[in-house]
Amino acid sequence: MLSGPPGLAGAAGPGTDPALAAASPEVRRTVLGIKESQDNAGAPFHVIDKKQARLFAFDADGRLLGTTAVLLGAAIGDHSVPGIGNRPMGQIRPEERTTPAGRFVSEQGTNLKGEDVTWVDYDNAVSLHRVRTGKPAERRLERLATATPDDNRISYGCINVPGAFYDRHIRPGPQSLKPAVIYVLPETGSATNAFAPGN
């Protein structure tokens, strides 16, 4: 179980890094729970706060490496529609474009276009990758730069991050490095249930 002790919501959270101290109570509880239980099993890990559209990247020892705004699935929801990973994007309805919540062991790979990505949920075609700017009307870079998360819902479910952040903190390290564990906080339920075994 990854929930922290009572009263943590009002505390500064683990460590003294101001970026983490300013994170939501749920993020701080989750990080503390991961570190106390060693749930990351010696691997680097990322915590994604969907409500605030923000990613926190940590090394294997739980030290915060950096944080960034992210773009997420256009629809609110914490589960992927069964079989969605096998459907063409043109057949995915707007209400089905969710970023699933849960604990995921990432996998490095490539998408159908040959781009290197970090698979979060391969079966459901959800990946973490550099922001794509091929459709100027979507204004993805501008959405990442705004001060609020209100306009960060635009993707089909994948998690977009700035290219420089991806290259520095997300893309594969040495071959001996364990795959990162990715914790995506829910927006419609509790983190305790999202990270329970079998979810």
Side-chain angles (χ1 to χ4, degrees):
M1 183 178 296
L2 299 181
S3 58
L8 184 63
T16 58
D17 191 292
L20 191 54
S24 70
E26 191 169 23
V27 168
R28 299 198 306 267
R29 280 195 296 269
T30 299
V31 173
L32 183 58
I34 293 167
K35 293 173 72 172
E36 288 186 338
S37 65
Q38 298 183 8
D39 186 78
N40 60 312
F45 63 95
H46 313 312
V47 176
I48 297 173
D49 184 349
K50 288 203 289 178
K51 293 179 182 177
Q52 297 300 317
R54 196 140 200 98
L55 180 150
F56 299 83
F58 298 85
D59 68 11
D61 295 320
R63 289 185 292 263
L64 182 65
L65 300 175
T67 179
T68 183
V70 296
L71 301 181
L72 300 163
I76 301 295
D78 293 321
H79 299 89
S80 294
V81 175
I84 198 168
N86 297 318
R87 286 161 51 186
M89 292 180 69
Q91 295 181 10
I92 300 174
R93 298 189 297 271
E95 67 272 17
E96 296 176 332
R97 298 172 187 177
T98 57
T99 298
R103 179 190 187 277
F104 305 92
V105 177
S106 69
E107 179 182 351
Q108 299 298 330
T110 56
N111 61 16
L112 293 176
K113 296 181 179 180
E115 300 168 324
D116 67 291
V117 300
T118 297
W119 290 108
V120 178
D121 184 352
Y122 181 83
D123 290 341
N124 288 311
V126 177
S127 66
L128 169 61
H129 58 71
R130 302 174 188 85
V131 62
R132 294 187 182 135
T133 57
K135 297 180 179 178
E138 292 182 342
R139 300 172 49 255
R140 293 200 177 201
L141 289 176
E142 290 87 344
R143 290 170 183 270
L144 281 171
T146 57
T148 74
D150 298 341
D151 59 354
N152 289 48
R153 312 304 292 255
I154 186 68
S155 80
Y156 279 73
C158 289
I159 302 154
N160 290 210
V161 300
F165 188 93
Y166 185 90
D167 291 340
R168 183 172 184 181
H169 298 305
I170 307 296
R171 78 180 298 175
Q175 292 300 313
S176 60
L177 191 66
K178 291 185 177 181
V181 181
I182 301 177
Y183 301 86
V184 183
L185 300 181
E187 54 193 340
T188 62
S190 74
T192 300
N193 292 333
F195 301 143
N199 286 344

